[in-house]
Every structure is written in structure tokens, then in C-alpha cells.
Amino acid sequence: MEPLLELKDLSVKYFTSDGTVEAVNGISLQVDRGETLGLVGETGAGKTTAALSILRLLPDPPGKIVGGDIRFQGESLLEKTEKEMRAIRGGQISMIFQDPMTALNPVIRVGEQIAEVILLHDKISKAEAERRALEMLELVGIPAERGSEYPHQFSGGMKQRVVIAIALACSPALLLADEPTTALDVTIQAQVLELINQLQEKLHTATILITHDLGVVAETCSKVAVMYAGEIMESGSLADLFDRAAHPYTVGLFQSIPSLEEDVDLLRPIPGLMPDPTALPQGCKFHPRCPYADERCRTVQPPVEELSPGHLVKCLRFCGGAEQAQEE
Ligand SMILES: Nc1ncnc2c1ncn2[C@@H]1O[C@H](COP(=O)(O)OP(=O)(O)OP(=O)(O)O)[C@@H](O)[C@H]1O
Ligand SMILES: [Mg+2]
């Protein structure tokens, strides 16, 4: 069966007065129906850019999709008209942004905001949409009677629950969750993630979960893709990445898996910084920080190697088979 979502060699650039930012450089990945893919990587790796591209919500200018394709349910999203995209957004694909306040309208009652999204996508009466909105509120653990309140009357965790209710109100086939809990305190974080998990199972929604937090990935995802400087360096099942990490970048990242209680922004086990995306290095983008880099890594772009079914890595050490690297 075809995957629900397929990114094929997707490239995105931001054309700014300070230079061209090569934000996403030829990434390919697949998400099947109902599954959760964790998209991880340091700040600036291109995760949000990739997610915004899927919804065609890149700020343009300066952002442009310059290559590749995005296929959803077998059709290219890049060929859709703006009107068709509006029907897809919030309907079949929805996104949870990092900061709940930017996603909510401060002057509209919470229940009404959920009903609006439902009305936009489903041909039902206003009364019916309002009834379903209150049902959604209850589903995310907020009493229906609070639907008549405004966002400022809600706590941060409750606002994020409302955002989740809006995102899932039309039972989307795909949810893009960009750091959905970063703005929340840790106890609420776990609850909100649990809620997303439960709703996802109930509605059979596939999810791309963008996060810095590998502990969260371990608990919620079945597949993982690791981004670095706009490329996917390694991807595979949770076990492939946690037990059999191959790419030196992934190995570095996964050496210290933070617990949910730790400040995930402190996660920086590998010395050095990501390269300037307006002047990316030749060869492997990770070579300046890689403990194994040799002369070839400075000039040759590593191809994608499949180490085992579904376990892909982009590193010259694994070219021509995994044994070579293990022998060293
Ligand atoms: N509107 C923009 N104009 C110019 N450059 C941008 C714009 N948005 C993002 N970028 C650049 O594109 C690159 C990728 O950014 P992106 O926000 O996708 O990274 P990210 O992986 O989501 O990072 P974070 O973990 O911090 O959210 C970065 O170098 C960033 O500075
Ligand atoms: Mg981001």
C-alpha cells in the first residue's frame, strides 16, 4: 500500500539579503497511516521548515520549495491549488505549533474557535458544529461548559489542550506536531503527550512529532528520522536508532538520552556547532564535527545506504556494507 505521506528528495531554501539559507536539502521519508514518526535534530536543522513545506505554509518570500515532491495519499501537494490546500489544512492534515497562544484567537470564545474549524471543513449546521466542538473539549479533558470562556482564562496546559482539540477536530489523517509541549512545564508535558497519543490511537491519525527530546521519542514514536543541516542523516525504527545507531551524529545524540525531567535544550553531547546554512561545507555536512571524518568525507557527498530493511544511513563509513565500519 502506498504511504500516507511521502517526501521525495525535498529541498527548501530561504532567499534572504544575507544569502541563501539551504534549510532542507534533499530529504526523503515516508509516514504510514496511523504511525508516529519522530523528527529530531538540533536547532536550525530544518525540522519546522520541512513541516511547513508539507502544509505549503512557508513564508514566501523568502522561503521556496526548490526541488523534490510531497505526496499525500498518492497525490502531489505541490500541484494543488491554494483553494485545495485550504481544504486539506486543518481537515486532512493539521499542525500543532509550538506556542499555543499564537494558534488561538484571544477575542473568540474557545468553543467557538473549535466549531469554526469544523464548519470550515464539514458541511454541517452551526449548532451541530458547536455540539461537536464541546465534545472535542471534553475529549481533551476540559469541561464543556468552559467552551464559553476566552483563551486568557485558561492555563498554558489547557490552552495547548484546546490547540490539540482544534488540530484533531476534523480527525485528520496526518498531524504535524512541532514541539507541542515545549512551552509547557514538565508535569503538564507528559499529560499533553499522553493525550496526543490517546487521541491518535482513537482517531487513527498518523503523526510527525518534532522534538529535541529523545525521551519523548522513545515513549511515543515507532520510527525516527534524525536531521542535521537540512539532511536526514539516519532513519529507521525506534530500535534501529536506539539500539543500532550507525551515523556518528546519531550515536553522539543518543549517548545521553535525557529524561523527561531534564532541560532538553541542554542536550549537546557533540562538540561544535551546526554549519552556517548559507555556507554549508562540501562533502558530508557533519564532517567538521565528526570524530571519524577522513579526507573523502570532506569532498564526497555520502549516498544513502540501507543497513537493514528500513534502516537508512548517510555516511561513507557504511558505504558498501556495514561490516567495513565495524571492522575498524
Ligand atoms: N523565515 C526565514 N527566513 C530565513 N531563514 C529562515 C527562516 N526560517 C528559518 N530559517 C533558517 O532555516 C534553517 C532551518 O530552520 P528551522 O526553523 O526549519 O529549524 P528547526 O530544525 O525547526 O530548528 P528549531 O529546533 O530551533 O525549531 C535555520 O538556519 C533557520 O535560521
Ligand atoms: Mg523548529
Side-chain angles (χ1 to χ4, degrees):
M1 207 168 64
E2 75 194 4
L4 177 72
L5 176 81
E6 194 172 14
L7 303 188
K8 288 183 164 176
D9 211 18
L10 180 73
S11 293
V12 183
K13 294 183 181 175
Y14 294 101
F15 297 93
T16 74
S17 50
D18 297 329
T20 301
V21 178
E22 297 184 86
V24 172
N25 302 306
I27 64 169
S28 297
L29 57 82
Q30 298 186 354
V31 182
D32 293 323
R33 285 171 177 75
E35 93 179 340
T36 301
L37 169 83
L39 188 59
V40 302
E42 280 165 279
T43 180
K47 306 178 299 290
T48 298
T49 302
L52 291 176
S53 305
I54 295 170
L55 281 175
R56 299 237 318 257
L57 284 177
L58 279 173
D60 176 9
K64 277 253 184 303
I65 295 174
V66 294
D69 199 3
I70 301 167
R71 302 190 74 80
F72 178 68
Q73 295 179 341
E75 292 175 18
S76 171
L77 292 183
L78 301 186
E79 287 164 9
K80 302 268 177 215
T81 62
E82 186 45 42
K83 190 171 170 223
E84 288 169 327
M85 281 311 295
R86 272 200 298 273
I88 289 171
R89 288 184 205 123
Q92 289 163 282
I93 307 178
S94 58
M95 183 153 174
I96 300 175
F97 296 89
Q98 183 176 337
D99 178 4
M101 251 351 245
T102 58
L104 295 176
N105 188 327
V107 298
I108 300 180
R109 293 172 202 277
V110 161
E112 235 173 282
Q113 294 195 46
I114 305 173
E116 270 180 8
V117 179
I118 300 173
L119 269 178
L120 202 64
H121 294 283
D122 294 343
K123 288 193 178 59
I124 52 173
S125 70
K126 193 157 182 242
E128 173 66 12
E130 275 164 11
R131 197 188 55 75
R132 272 192 28 205
L134 297 184
E135 251 176 45
M136 258 339 270
L137 263 190
E138 296 259 345
L139 202 61
V140 297
I142 296 175
E145 57 269 21
R146 299 206 57 176
S148 58
E149 294 179 13
Y150 292 93
H152 73 263
Q153 292 170 281
F154 283 43
S155 69
M158 284 173 77
K159 277 188 280 229
Q160 195 61 315
R161 283 163 186 266
V162 173
V163 170
I164 293 167
I166 292 174
L168 295 175
C170 297
S171 307
L174 177 66
L175 173 68
L176 308 174
D178 192 356
E179 308 270 4
T181 59
T182 311
L184 307 175
D185 71 54
V186 273
T187 42
I188 311 288
Q189 273 186 20
Q191 287 173 20
V192 168
L193 280 170
E194 178 61 26
L195 173 68
I196 295 177
N197 262 345
Q198 283 170 5
L199 292 176
Q200 208 197 331
E201 269 171 37
K202 195 165 171 179
L203 308 170
H204 205 61
T205 302
T207 303
I208 296 183
L209 178 66
I210 297 175
T211 177
H212 290 100
D213 191 331
L214 298 174
V216 167
V217 170
E219 278 174 39
T220 52
C221 300
S222 50
K223 285 203 310 201
V224 190
V226 177
M227 272 190 94
Y228 185 81
E231 294 182 16
I232 292 179
M233 293 303 191
E234 183 164 5
S235 61
S237 70
L238 197 61
D240 286 339
L241 278 270
F242 277 79
D243 302 337
R244 299 180 284 278
H247 197 287
Y249 180 61
T250 321
V251 173
L253 269 188
F254 281 56
Q255 253 158 16
S256 62
I257 296 174
S259 70
L260 280 173
E261 285 73 37
E262 278 176 65
D263 184 347
V264 293
D265 288 339
L266 294 177
L267 175 73
R268 182 163 291 156
I270 308 160
L273 293 171
M274 270 218 314
D276 174 358
T278 61
L280 289 174
Q282 291 280 300
C284 171
K285 309 279 188 293
F286 185 59
H287 86 253
R289 287 169 81 183
C290 181
Y292 304 100
D294 60 22
E295 213 35 61
R296 278 195 321 152
C297 302
R298 293 178 232 287
T299 50
V300 181
Q301 261 273 19
V304 176
E305 284 286 326
E306 187 162 31
L307 297 182
S308 59
H311 185 186
L312 306 176
V313 65
K314 216 173 173 184
C315 172
L316 287 179
R317 299 181 80 217
F318 297 92
C319 270
E323 300 98 68
Q324 186 196 334
Q326 275 157 9
E327 276 165 20
E328 280 167 24

